[in-house]
Amino acid sequence: MRSLRSGLPLAALVTCLVTLLTAPPAHAADPPLRDLAAAKGKVIGTAVTGSKLTGTYGDIAGAQFNSLTPGNAMKWGSVEPTRGSFNWAEADQIVNFAEAHGQQVRGHTLVWHSQNPSWLTNGTWTASQLSQLMNDHIALEVGRYKGRLAAWDVVNEAFNEDGTYRPTLWYNGLGSGYIAQALTAARAADPAAKLYINDYNVEGVNAKSTALYNLVKSLKAQGVPIDGVGLQAHLIVGQVPSTLQQNIQRFADLGVDVAVTELDIRMTLPSDSTKLAQQAADYKAVMNACVAVTRCAGVTVWGFTDSDSWIPSTFPGQGAATPYDENYAPKPAYHAIAEALGGSGGGGGPSTDGCTAAYAVTSQWNTGFTGQVTISCSGGTLSSWRAAWTFGAGQQVTQAWNATCTQSGAAVSCSNASYNGTVPDGGSVTFGFNGSWSGSNPLPAVELG
Ligand code: XIL
């Protein structure tokens, strides 16, 4: 210790310690979505990309959601790009991450017409070869994660919009019986996983969802193992089907679970506060419909941040479809989800919807540090603000600027100065302070009120 206290070694050490530490944004009174969902017995999930599960992305995925779905990592084209040569790295990584964070995993997807390896789609197969390929694929992949996955989207997108069967590799080669066969193979490979059939544009009552309904009814009547129906729910702002809850209920009444498996609600870019408010109402409507039906297992969003959404590349000019913006700030949609799950959404004080506070340590030395809090609004505004947090390790604010700060015990409360109470939509305000610390200087979550 003594040698570190003098001369150059100390200066060098301090330089190393002065790093920029940033806490993920937090919102006023909302506990994490996964806690709210758990209290209601519901799943709140997100699709994830394995390579991104570090830093802020990993922090949010782990803290806010109780279920993960690999966005692409478990698709046939990902796991067996060359026949007989397998790549499980990303799928394994996601399953391991989920287990480390006490999360479920939803397997996605086994039998589909899309994102198959070219050796499979370009091959010429007899019915019996195709049948064998499908059975072997299911046995291998489901078997690999046996006992570890909560559910599988066994068959994906089997129907056309008019309710006829989609003419896929599987349907063309094996007839509609491929669906029952796939479900039976999946049950054999993992008796504990809930087996789903999943599709899009089946959220409301329509020709496609009615075909799916009739299929599930007949599979149940034949004793085929089917546990659930997945409604993808790739929706458009302002267009949540009015029959969503009724549709969920009719499937539930067949004796299967229902899950919203891929929720996103896209808008024409650029986003603005009107569209974001409508989107929040739409997210809330979907959540409410699921909460209202006991057999609705929960809702998974198809990517939790706009920076990890498939929408902009698939629907040019559309985007901003998820609950967090590209910078991981929760959008009004996030707070709407929290409210539908029983959260207070800001609890009593002036609404902070659309605004978040991010805490950072911008420099740190042996006994002191400089902190900075940035309050940003996107889809909301503030005319005055108060940022509050609790220090976890005895830190003490010694001096603040661009805010009036008081500290009582560990509790710090900072209010706007006379000149910076207004935070416009799309704008931000930053204030700073110096503080003392010893031992450790953990980052607190800031509540905005
Ligand atoms: C999407 C992924 O999110 C994209 O990254 C990929 O390029 C294409 O597929 N229905 C599904 C999902 O069942 O698997 C799709 O995921 C989105 C539509």
Side-chain angles (χ1 to χ4, degrees):
M1 264 320 265
R2 186 171 301 161
S3 69
L4 292 178
R5 289 210 168 148
S6 62
L8 204 58
L10 175 60
L13 180 67
V14 168
T15 306
C16 292
L17 285 173
V18 178
T19 50
L20 185 76
L21 303 169
T22 307
H27 182 259
D30 295 337
L33 298 180
R34 62 182 290 174
D35 294 355
L36 295 169
K40 291 214 174 285
K42 300 288 179 185
V43 166
I44 184 77
T46 181
V48 290
T49 302
S51 60
K52 298 184 180 173
L53 282 171
T54 58
T56 305
Y57 183 99
D59 290 344
I60 294 174
Q64 294 286 336
F65 299 94
N66 58 17
S67 178
L68 300 183
T69 303
N72 289 299
M74 288 186 173
K75 292 170 181 174
W76 200 330
S78 299
V79 301
E80 195 182 4
T82 305
R83 192 172 184 187
S85 147
F86 297 92
N87 181 359
W88 301 106
E90 188 188 351
D92 286 355
Q93 182 204 352
I94 292 168
V95 175
N96 290 337
F97 180 99
E99 289 176 346
H101 292 81
Q103 297 169 302
Q104 295 185 3
V105 178
R106 183 175 190 91
H108 176 83
T109 178
L110 298 165
V111 181
W112 191 23
H113 63 275
S114 187
Q115 292 183 275
N116 285 318
S118 53
W119 64 263
L120 177 64
T121 46
N122 295 340
T124 308
W125 313 103
T126 66
S128 91
Q129 287 173 322
L130 212 47
S131 173
Q132 192 71 50
L133 282 164
M134 189 178 81
N135 283 346
D136 289 351
H137 170 65
I138 292 171
L140 186 72
E141 181 153 8
V142 178
R144 180 179 183 85
Y145 300 107
K146 182 181 179 181
R148 300 173 71 190
L149 267 53
W152 270 105
D153 291 327
V154 177
V155 175
N156 201 27
E157 302 180 348
F159 288 99
N160 292 316
E161 297 305 292
D162 66 0
T164 56
Y165 283 107
R166 186 193 286 267
T168 67
L169 172 72
W170 309 108
Y171 180 80
N172 294 342
L174 301 171
S176 63
Y178 84 89
I179 296 172
Q181 184 182 327
L183 289 160
T184 304
R187 178 69 96 230
D190 186 353
K194 299 275 190 196
L195 306 181
Y196 277 70
I197 182 165
N198 192 50
D199 216 324
Y200 64 93
N201 287 353
V202 293
E203 294 76 28
V205 175
N206 58 36
K208 192 175 186 180
S209 66
T210 298
L212 178 59
Y213 175 87
N214 290 332
L215 170 66
V216 171
K217 191 174 182 178
S218 107
L219 292 171
K220 290 286 285 181
Q222 295 165 63
V224 173
I226 171 103
D227 302 307
V229 170
L231 315 178
Q232 290 186 7
H234 296 293
L235 302 177
I236 296 168
V237 155
Q239 297 183 30
V240 177
S242 59
T243 51
L244 175 60
Q245 186 180 325
Q246 176 195 338
N247 192 44
I248 293 173
Q249 188 67 58
R250 74 169 171 160
F251 281 107
D253 291 344
L254 288 178
V256 292
D257 293 341
V258 180
V260 175
T261 53
E262 304 182 17
L263 178 62
D264 49 29
I265 306 183
R266 61 187 184 265
M267 62 185 67
T268 300
L269 295 172
S271 71
D272 60 34
S273 56
T274 307
K275 293 178 203 171
L276 290 171
Q278 179 63 53
Q279 182 185 53
D282 294 342
Y283 266 92
K284 190 180 271 182
V286 174
M287 296 303 301
N288 285 344
C290 184
V291 168
V293 180
T294 308
R295 285 205 81 142
C296 185
V299 174
T300 288
V301 295
W302 204 244
F304 64 87
T305 159
D306 292 338
S307 68
D308 186 41
S309 168
W310 72 308
I311 294 294
S313 60
T314 308
F315 302 91
Q318 306 279 303
T322 79
Y324 286 81
D325 74 13
E326 291 96 342
N327 300 315
Y328 302 118
K331 293 156 59 180
Y334 170 90
H335 300 298
I337 295 171
E339 282 178 25
L341 290 171
S344 66
S351 172
T352 56
D353 277 358
C355 301
T356 56
Y359 179 108
V361 171
T362 55
S363 70
Q364 180 167 297
W365 56 98
N366 51 352
T367 58
F369 69 102
T370 299
Q372 178 178 295
V373 173
T374 300
I375 298 166
S376 310
C377 291
S378 174
T381 60
L382 296 173
S383 54
S384 66
W385 47 261
R386 184 183 148 273
W389 65 88
T390 304
F391 276 137
Q395 304 101 312
Q396 185 74 38
V397 172
T398 53
Q399 176 198 14
W401 51 95
N402 296 332
T404 305
C405 293
T406 57
Q407 181 165 356
S408 168
V412 180
S413 175
C414 298
S415 306
N416 59 274
S418 58
Y419 51 84
N420 66 358
T422 300
V423 187
D425 191 2
S428 66
V429 165
T430 296
F431 68 89
F433 60 91
N434 286 332
S436 61
W437 72 288
S438 69
S440 69
N441 188 14
L443 300 170
V446 180
E447 292 187 357
L448 200 54

